[in-house]
Amino acid sequence: MKLLHIDASALGNHSVSRSLTAAIVAELIQAQPELEVNYHDLAAHPLPHWSPVADAGDPGAVLGNAVMDAFLAADVIVIGAPMYNFSVPSQLKAWIDRIMVAGKTFRYTENGPLGLAGGKRVIIASSRGGFYGNGSEAAAMDFQEPYLRTVFKFIGIDQVEFVRAEGVNVSADHKVEALESAHAAIGQVNRKQVIRKAA
Ligand SMILES: Cc1cc2nc3c(=O)[nH]c(=O)nc-3n(C[C@H](O)[C@H](O)[C@H](O)COP(=O)(O)O)c2cc1C
């Protein structure tokens, strides 16, 4: 089993999403010690924006192919996705642009687009300064989680699991509460995996 671990936060050791992805990966390894982990820090090693290239040896194309291969090989993908300006960091968007490739992860058919990457488990650690939950006034400004759901659904991954810490910039108390509730959810992530294995 292969696990692809992606971080995108620019905040280094202060990052909430990095601490959550690390905890999720640690939980999954505890449940399945044989997991082979491939780590990509998109802030430390940003991807060039996608562009059409004529030469297959172009460094951007070579990197893009490596990103696609790592994605296709992974059974489980754990992604740190902070909310930056209501959406995802541009580093994460650049990664998404490399995995959304017609003929590889989806294809167009007479009946519409068909996802080709089904069967993978995607767990997203979502961190955000404010509150965007269902029913909140700000829910309509959330272009982060719905966007990520849409991206993965489009390529055939219907069930994306979110571990969420929100309101982390509202106050120190809110941040503590958000982290506690996110870490409680991480315990559930592990339990679900055990249930799936047993099923
Ligand atoms: C450049 C930038 C843009 C941000 N934009 C938003 C935003 O639109 N809405 C929000 O609620 N929080 C926003 N925040 C706060 C982050 O979502 C919050 O600090 C979160 O913890 C970031 O995840 P990280 O700690 O893993 O980097 C922003 C933070 C940064 C650095």
Side-chain angles (χ1 to χ4, degrees):
M1 291 274 281
K2 292 189 175 173
L3 184 153
L4 177 61
H5 176 180
I6 303 282
D7 276 325
S9 167
L11 299 184
N13 290 338
H14 300 287
S15 159
V16 171
S17 61
R18 282 173 186 272
S19 72
L20 296 179
T21 60
I24 294 166
V25 170
E27 284 280 348
L28 293 174
I29 289 173
Q30 202 180 20
Q32 286 174 275
E34 73 281 5
L35 269 181
E36 205 180 294
V37 180
N38 180 2
Y39 181 58
H40 192 155
D41 183 338
L42 293 170
H45 303 285
L47 296 168
H49 286 153
W50 183 89
S51 63
V53 282
D55 175 4
D58 174 271
V62 171
L63 253 178
N65 289 339
V67 165
M68 177 60 87
D69 289 346
F71 176 74
L72 291 176
D75 303 290
V76 186
I77 300 122
V78 177
I79 302 172
M83 177 185 274
Y84 283 0
N85 298 315
F86 310 109
S87 182
V88 297
S90 55
Q91 291 88 344
L92 182 55
K93 176 65 167 60
W95 180 83
I96 289 168
D97 288 344
R98 299 290 176 171
I99 63 155
M100 303 292 284
V101 176
K104 293 270 190 183
T105 49
F106 69 93
R107 69 185 166 83
Y108 292 107
T109 72
E110 282 177 4
N111 302 320
L114 178 70
L116 303 176
K120 297 179 189 301
R121 184 177 187 202
V122 173
I123 306 168
I124 295 179
S126 162
S127 52
R128 32 216 210 169
F131 290 100
Y132 299 84
N134 279 344
S136 76
E137 261 181 45
M141 291 151 70
D142 180 1
F143 298 96
Q144 173 215 19
E145 292 189 13
Y147 167 66
L148 291 166
R149 256 193 208 100
T150 301
V151 161
F152 287 107
K153 188 169 183 186
F154 192 80
I155 59 174
I157 301 168
D158 286 329
Q159 296 293 325
V160 175
E161 297 160 56
F162 284 90
V163 170
R164 181 179 306 117
E166 67 176 349
V168 300
N169 290 355
V170 171
S171 71
D173 284 351
H174 274 106
K175 185 170 183 174
V176 170
E177 257 176 50
L179 285 171
E180 278 174 6
S181 110
H183 280 281
I186 290 170
Q188 295 295 313
V189 161
N190 194 358
R191 202 172 60 81
K192 270 194 215 158
Q193 180 68 2
V194 172
I195 288 168
R196 276 188 191 192
K197 268 179 77 186

